[in-house]
Amino acid sequence: MTEISMPQPVVILVRPQMGENIGAAARAMLNFGLTGMRLVDPRDGWPNPRAVAMASGAAGQVLDRAQVFPTLAEAMFDVDHAYATTARGRELTKPVHTPATAMAEARGLVAEGGRVALIFGPERAGLENDDIARANAIVTVPVNPEFPSLNLAQAVLLMGYEWGRDALPAQPAPAAKRPPGEIPATRLEIERLADHWEEKLTEARFFFPPEKAAPMRLTLRNLWSRLPLTRADVQILHGMVRQLTWKSRVD
């Protein structure tokens, strides 16, 4: 994944209730290069094996570095600007952002040397007004008003994406890092596959009668070139013809 060159925001989870949700939040963070997690008074204590299990590959880079604080104020000891993620708290006089506008502002603040925090509340009730009062601004996701609920990891994912979007790869994944099932086969690989099948079909006397053999070969070669084959497809088709010819010899 592309490294985000500028300093990162810290993600503060206030009174998180379930280890699984902490682990899922860690995964969401690492998807977008965020590794600074702070926990405020986690309900089930810390460390939490359920968080580690859910975090999977993010455990070492996020959870193992997580800091625990008894209060939100202490968790914000070095923070210059904080965003409280909540659908409530509008009675407090604060700027209200979407994730996109908040993170655009945050990138500017960080570029000027500021320390930014993204604050998320407990799963059931979210942040309390006392928590929100410590933030500089509120972030609210514009969702369906009839079902505005987001779980903790979803909220972290949205903020992480908006933070990292300018540093993300232009394509979903470089071809070299994609699995064989997604990498298009090269022209040479398709040519070798066509040669393999033509060889075995010739041995099986498929191209018959002789006067029709050349048009049949041409049609088959054209068929291979039209197919949008991946490298995994090519491997499977090579394996199929090998297995068929081996089976015919055994029989």
Side-chain angles (χ1 to χ4, degrees):
M1 178 177 176
T2 303
E3 292 288 337
I4 298 175
S5 58
M6 69 174 66
Q8 306 169 359
V10 293
V11 173
I12 302 178
L13 307 185
V14 179
R15 299 180 297 279
Q17 296 170 327
M18 297 178 63
E20 292 89 344
N21 290 336
I22 298 173
R27 292 179 68 166
M29 288 171 58
L30 194 56
N31 282 149
F32 302 104
L34 298 175
T35 57
M37 175 182 280
R38 298 179 184 180
L39 305 173
V40 175
D41 189 25
R43 184 190 68 181
D44 296 336
W46 194 258
N48 188 313
R50 293 183 177 180
V52 174
M54 180 60 76
S56 186
Q61 297 186 62
V62 181
L63 296 187
D64 288 353
R65 304 175 184 178
Q67 298 174 282
V68 182
F69 298 87
T71 68
L72 177 57
E74 291 170 277
M76 295 174 66
F77 70 95
D78 61 346
V79 171
D80 301 306
H81 198 92
Y83 297 90
T85 59
T86 179
R88 304 183 303 160
R90 290 177 180 267
E91 63 272 18
L92 300 175
T93 305
K94 292 182 183 295
V96 179
H97 295 283
T98 65
T101 59
M103 293 302 91
E105 180 182 79
R107 285 190 291 272
L109 294 168
V110 170
E112 295 172 358
R115 182 66 155 162
V116 169
L118 314 179
I119 305 174
F120 301 85
E123 295 89 323
R124 288 189 180 180
L127 292 170
E128 297 177 357
N129 281 347
D130 285 349
D131 303 317
I132 298 169
R134 297 186 181 279
N136 301 88
I138 290 170
V139 180
T140 299
V141 180
V143 295
N144 178 4
E146 296 182 4
F147 192 70
S149 177
L150 292 174
N151 67 36
L152 179 58
Q154 288 173 330
V156 173
L157 188 75
L158 285 170
M159 295 292 283
Y161 173 75
E162 293 297 345
W163 163 258
R165 64 186 306 172
D166 288 349
L168 298 175
Q171 298 297 323
K177 296 183 180 180
R178 291 159 63 186
E182 297 180 7
I183 301 175
T186 66
R187 175 55 49 195
L188 180 59
E189 289 167 336
I190 294 174
E191 285 290 329
R192 287 173 176 169
L193 176 66
D195 290 342
H196 190 188
W197 273 81
E198 185 171 317
E199 174 191 349
K200 297 305 179 183
L201 288 172
T202 300
E203 292 175 4
R205 301 181 182 179
F206 173 78
F207 300 109
F208 184 86
E211 62 271 18
K212 294 185 178 180
M216 292 171 70
R217 286 189 172 91
L218 180 62
T219 298
L220 188 60
R221 185 71 59 162
N222 188 47
L223 182 151
W224 291 121
S225 68
R226 293 200 316 267
L227 295 176
L229 298 173
T230 67
R231 287 184 175 176
D233 296 332
V234 168
Q235 292 171 1
I236 290 172
L237 289 165
H238 275 300
M240 287 170 60
V241 72
R242 279 194 296 267
Q243 183 67 14
L244 287 169
T245 53
W246 174 83
K247 181 66 174 174
S248 65
R249 289 196 299 270
V250 171
D251 293 343

